[in-house]
């Protein structure tokens, strides 16, 4: 049995015990199990584009927003941007890629009212997908991007270099 499977099984057992305790009137066990299950869930969530987008959608759900759906053009852009930030960790493209405005015009993004929005968040050095999103939550600017209710589409790029993980997520409407 893999390490991840054992952790998930352990979390399910703890949750089941907590439910039994809750039903029998011991509510402390239930809140403990929920915290423990969240810790186990996050610790086994490797950093991948799919997991980052899933975790962003979960974070948006907890904030009463809809999910973001993967879009091929945004995936392509974020993947190329993740290559760039290995060399220069900032939000300004190194010139290899078109800027956001040209990108959105050339890829048909539109909100239906002639105004397209796009946002980017970047991260480096985290151990799992939950930590990446939790890190973005600690920055008001990044949080504003992730919780922008107009965004419906997303793309995530993940690159590994020098024993570090670099993540770029872009969102648009």
């Amino acid at each position: 049995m893999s390490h991840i499977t054992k952790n998930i099984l352990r979390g399910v057992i703890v949750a089941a015990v907590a439910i039994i305790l809750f039903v029998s009137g011991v509510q402390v066990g239930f809140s403990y199990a929920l915290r423990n299950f969240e810790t186990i869930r996050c610790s086994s969530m490797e950093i991948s584009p799919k997991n980052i987008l899933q975790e962003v959608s979960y974070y948006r759900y907890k904030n009463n927003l809809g999910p973001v759906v993967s879009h091929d053009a945004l995936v392509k852009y974020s993947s190329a941007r993740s290559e760039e930030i290995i060399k220069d960790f900032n939000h300004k493209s190194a010139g290899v890629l078109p800027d956001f405005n040209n990108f959105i015009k050339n890829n048909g993004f539109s909100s239906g009212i002639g105004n397209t929005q796009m946002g980017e968040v970047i991260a480096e050095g985290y151990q799992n997908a939950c930590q990446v999103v939790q890190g973005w939550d600690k920055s008001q600017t990044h949080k504003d991007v992730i919780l922008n209710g107009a965004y419906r589409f997303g793309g995530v790029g993940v690159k590994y270099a020098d024993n570090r993980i670099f993540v770029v997520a872009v969102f648009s409407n």
Side-chain angles (χ1 to χ4, degrees):
M1 191 177 313
S2 76
H3 172 70
I4 293 170
T5 305
K6 286 179 185 176
N7 280 341
I8 291 171
L9 183 58
R10 189 176 302 130
V12 169
I13 291 169
V14 169
V17 169
I19 291 170
I20 292 167
L21 291 172
F22 181 76
V23 170
S24 60
V26 183
Q27 295 179 6
V28 175
F30 187 70
S31 62
Y32 168 77
L34 288 179
R35 283 192 312 273
N36 193 26
F37 184 74
E38 186 73 11
T39 300
I40 292 168
R41 181 186 73 81
C42 287
S43 68
S44 63
M45 188 178 287
E46 71 177 332
I47 295 178
S48 70
K50 178 184 173 190
N51 287 346
I52 296 288
L53 201 59
Q54 178 183 325
E55 194 61 22
V56 166
S57 291
Y58 177 65
Y59 178 75
R60 288 170 57 92
Y61 167 78
K62 291 191 306 187
N63 285 277
N64 300 312
L65 293 170
V68 287
V69 177
S70 182
H71 189 286
D72 289 343
L74 294 177
V75 169
K76 182 178 177 182
Y77 185 85
S78 62
S79 182
R81 279 287 291 134
S82 63
E83 285 284 343
E84 283 188 338
I85 67 169
I86 291 171
K87 298 175 190 91
D88 189 13
F89 190 79
N90 68 58
H91 288 284
K92 296 184 181 185
S93 177
V96 176
L97 298 170
D99 65 30
F100 279 157
N101 292 331
N102 288 331
F103 176 78
I104 56 180
K105 287 177 188 173
N106 294 333
N107 285 283
F109 288 98
S110 175
S111 64
I113 55 173
N115 181 18
T116 301
Q117 298 176 0
M118 193 166 183
E120 174 187 79
V121 291
I122 62 178
E124 177 267 324
Y126 291 98
Q127 301 300 313
N128 62 56
C130 290
Q131 287 179 354
V132 171
V133 176
Q134 289 165 357
W136 289 333
D137 177 58
K138 293 176 184 171
S139 160
Q140 190 59 50
T141 305
H142 289 89
K143 188 175 186 174
D144 290 346
V145 170
I146 295 171
L147 295 180
N148 184 327
Y151 295 155
R152 298 175 309 173
F153 302 105
V156 177
V158 175
K159 298 293 182 216
Y160 299 86
D162 302 322
N163 294 319
R164 297 183 316 185
I165 302 172
F166 296 86
V167 179
V168 174
V170 291
F171 306 97
S172 187
N173 54 337

